[in-house]
Amino acid sequence: MRLLALATLSLSLLAAPLAVAAGDAKHPEHQHWHWDGVFGQFDRGQLQRGFLVYKTVCAACHGMNLLSYRNLGDEGGPEFPEDAVKAIAAGYQVPSLDEDGQPAERPATPADRFKGPHPNEIAARAANNGALPPDLSVIVKARHGGADYIYALLTGYKDAPADMTMGAGMHYNPYFAGGQIAMAAPIASDDLVEYADGTKATKDQMARDVTAFLTWASEPRLEERKKLGVKVMAFTFVFALVLFMAYRRLWRDVPH
Amino acid sequence: MAGDYKYKPTNGFTRWLDSRLPIWRMVDEQVLNFPTPKNLNYWYTFGGILTLMLGVQIITGIVLAMHYTPHEKLAFDSVERIMRDVNYGWMMRYLHSNGASMFFIAVYIHMFRGLYYGSYKAPREVLWILGVIIYLLMMATAFLGYTLPWGQMSFWGATVITNFFSAIPFVGEAITQWLWGSFAVDNSTLQRFFSLHYLLPFVIAGVVILHIWALHVPGNNNPLGIDVRGPQDTVAFHPYYTVKDGFAIAVFLLLFFYFVFFNPNYLGHTDNYIPANPLVTPAHIVPEWYFLPFYAILRSVPDKLMGVILMFGSIFVLFFLPWLDTSRVRSAAFRPIYRQAFWIFVVVCLGLGWVGAQTTDYKIFDLGPKTDVVEQIVEKAKADNVTGQALEAVRTQAEEQNRRAFDATDLGRILTILYFAFFLIAIPLIGVVETPKALPRSISEAVLAHGGSSQPARPQGAHA
Ligand code: HEM
């Protein structure tokens, strides 16, 4: 009973952050994700497809400066084979110095960070009508609703309601706070990419895949964390049980 | 009372050591064989849980500090490097960030336990005061730590909280700038906050030692709130309570690990994964959950200075609690009126926490249209020769747009009054008017009445 009361008390304390109002935006619907739940892990193929969408579509505007090309081969991630990672990296030119110490360019290696589309914030804004496309490295953890929100945002573009005055260059999206977003629907038609695994590149499929990729990028240790978590919880549970039995045994003859 | 048992060195070496540094005597008398009331329930395991959590925070914190960079341009990325590239860095960080929340869950339960069983009363006033000092230090430490990742909430939380000090008349601005080390929250602020965040947990550890020392002079209180009369009322701390506390700790760890491994960002704010930006104010600045009740008190007062005074007052009142209480009976189990007041107070605190998480104008009940405003609008329309259907339309629209509501601030005001009323009115008064129930003569008598030695041990306290 005591423990029950205790659990209730702590839960009601924990429920407090839930009450935080999410603003005026439409609440994203919950989607079923491959990594949901205690044992949920990423779908390797989906992460690889998601990377392709990011690279082909989003990377024109959004950087991911916390990631390096080598991460694409990391365990628990898209797990591209080593030579594929090298080839992806080599597709980008990064600044370097030549033998005379003069500024030059060289092909990127897996150790390099993802190359962003814009040299700096001013350039990024100039290219986007004054709006700044945020870096997407931790985007899923940086938004209420996480993956559900990203997916809803990507698939939620609609015609603006008649009574809404849209700002210049703004697009209506009910999931975005305020309803007006400077990003045009990035996934507006099917077949923006061609998937190597033969999956049909519908709008919905691309939105899901890129959301999965961004989720991994935000939380690259998710698989390791859950796998270890299951073991740690199991151990602690058994440990608690042993201690409980020891406690009952020890106190059996002590009235208390 | 702690004096009944005396350590006897058993061999040459321990005799030699005992006359030079009686450290084993201390361990033996103060820990292993410390006489502890037989009837402590699970609410008493939180002191041990807190000690463990302090250790967890210090150890994980030291590891994090090895990889963290306190600089406005580097801090956010350095934390992400810990999450991505440091071996088990994600685990260290999630243990530390969720550990802070668990620490506060434990300390709140620990403090409510003290309130319920009257553990702050003579002869444990100093013990209680040291507890309140620990609590203040914990809040300072948690606040400083939260600024370190230098996300949006870090930055704006630090801005809001340091701005409290600017409410102080005359010297407010000077004090605020002194805290910042600058004219705004910036790199100098971050660097000093890191330095202090590293320091304070060790100060806490020092005060915890005093706290336990002050505990061991009178010995533990207990759910009956009556004094220990002799050895028949106690058991040795080890193994009886080491094992019982150990079990409680393991259960507590299950909850802790659930968050760390399966829901690590649940207790945090998404905005803190956006790098700090002094030019963009987040839509809704909210402190961490454990500060919400105080935030609600702050916001329930229209005047900034008064708000800050009440907010600090809500904690400082705890220092005076031992002298505000006029009842000599400790445990609420024997105090029918106080017991009800206590539970109302718990609800008030949870309510304040809820209010703290809402926007101030969050509507709880609608109280109908503001008739005076509506009438004004209608009169004005009449003056403009609006009549018939059109006038009705004006009225309907005015009624829709001008409504009175009972909002979060209103609720916060009521709860703030109740919060202070509990300490300043209820506690002094109840002690005078209440007739306590008869106290048992001793702990052992009471536990025997509850079920003899032939019964299997049941975790039960007097208030069950
Ligand atoms: C770092 C934080 C703290 C640690 C590590 C700590 C540790 C402990 C320990 C080990 C005990 C004995 C076991 C128990 O009765 O639970 C204890 C007792 C006590 N603590 Fe704390 N404590 C902390 C914070 C506080 C705070 C914030 C308060 C109150 C404002 C407080 C008030 C008390 C009281 C009144 C007792 C005696 C309880 C009784 O005998 O009935 N403690 N503490």
Side-chain angles (χ1 to χ4, degrees), chain B residues 17-142:
Chain B
L17 187 65
D18 196 52
S19 56
R20 285 161 181 80
L21 177 70
I23 186 167
W24 190 248
R25 171 180 296 277
M26 190 182 80
V27 171
D28 189 77
E29 290 179 2
Q30 298 297 321
V31 183
L32 300 180
N33 284 301
F34 188 73
T36 313
K38 285 174 167 179
N39 60 336
L40 300 188
N41 54 28
Y42 282 110
W43 300 113
Y44 276 76
T45 58
F46 283 90
I49 290 172
L50 283 162
T51 313
L52 175 85
M53 289 313 294
L54 181 62
V56 168
Q57 292 306 91
I58 290 180
I59 292 168
T60 53
I62 289 175
V63 176
L64 290 172
M66 293 173 186
H67 303 279
Y68 170 78
T69 313
H71 186 281
E72 59 178 347
K73 298 232 153 46
L74 306 170
F76 187 91
D77 283 5
S78 77
V79 171
E80 278 300 322
R81 293 261 76 84
I82 292 172
M83 299 290 287
R84 288 156 194 271
D85 291 342
V86 174
N87 287 334
Y88 294 101
W90 58 269
M91 191 168 87
M92 289 296 148
R93 165 139 194 265
Y94 282 152
L95 282 170
H96 199 77
S97 58
N98 288 286
S101 279
M102 300 307 287
F103 206 162
F104 276 94
I105 291 177
V107 89
Y108 284 132
I109 296 176
H110 191 68
M111 292 169 75
F112 278 119
R113 182 284 316 263
L115 276 179
Y116 190 86
Y117 294 121
S119 302
Y120 51 86
K121 293 186 202 191
R124 295 185 184 81
E125 301 94 322
V126 173
L127 167 62
W128 172 259
I129 288 172
L130 288 166
V132 180
I133 292 173
I134 294 173
Y135 177 53
L136 281 170
L137 288 168
M138 275 175 67
M139 297 217 280
T141 310

Side-chain angles (χ1 to χ4, degrees), chain A residues 2 6 14 18-19 66 70 113 137-138 141-142 217 219 221 224-225 229 240 243-244 247 250-252 256, chain B residues 38 42-43 46 81 84-85 90 94 239-241 246-247 259 261 265-267 270 358 457-458 461 464:
Chain A
R2 294 286 154 61
L6 198 119
L14 298 178
L18 271 183
L66 293 172
R70 68 178 158 80
R113 298 282 186 96
S137 313
V138 278
K141 290 200 291 190
E219 194 66 6
R221 302 282 170 219
E224 186 186 354
R225 169 160 64 71
L243 281 168
F244 183 68
Y247 155 71
L250 187 64
W251 282 78
R252 192 163 51 199
H256 64 287
Chain B
K38 285 174 167 179
Y42 282 110
W43 300 113
F46 283 90
R81 293 261 76 84
R84 288 156 194 271
D85 291 342
W90 58 269
Y94 282 152
Y240 291 95
Y241 282 108
F247 166 60
F259 282 115
F261 292 101
N265 293 302
Y266 178 75
L267 298 165
T270 45
Q358 310 307 315
R458 272 192 299 146

Side-chain angles (χ1 to χ4, degrees), chain A residues 96-185:
Chain A
S96 103
L97 297 176
D98 66 16
E99 288 114 65
D100 305 324
Q102 295 307 308
E105 291 210 316
R106 60 165 172 81
T109 67
D112 285 306
R113 298 282 186 96
F114 274 27
K115 192 183 178 196
H118 306 292
N120 52 52
E121 183 177 332
I122 301 172
R125 284 191 190 274
N128 284 284
N129 215 350
L132 179 69
D135 185 276
L136 294 182
S137 313
V138 278
I139 197 77
V140 175
K141 290 200 291 190
R143 292 293 181 276
H144 279 289
D148 293 338
Y149 167 74
I150 305 293
Y151 170 79
L153 182 82
L154 293 175
T155 52
Y157 284 85
K158 280 203 182 76
D159 292 333
D163 59 345
M164 192 169 200
T165 12
M166 299 293 295
M170 298 302 263
H171 310 270
Y172 179 68
N173 192 318
Y175 296 99
F176 188 70
Q180 308 207 15
I181 183 165
M183 168 170 74

Side-chain angles (χ1 to χ4, degrees), chain B residues 20 50 114 175 218 304 362 389 399 411 414 442 445:
Chain B
R20 285 161 181 80
L50 283 162
I175 292 185
K304 187 176 171 190
Y362 178 87
Q389 286 250 290
E399 282 181 352
L411 180 62
I414 295 175
S442 76
E445 195 186 282

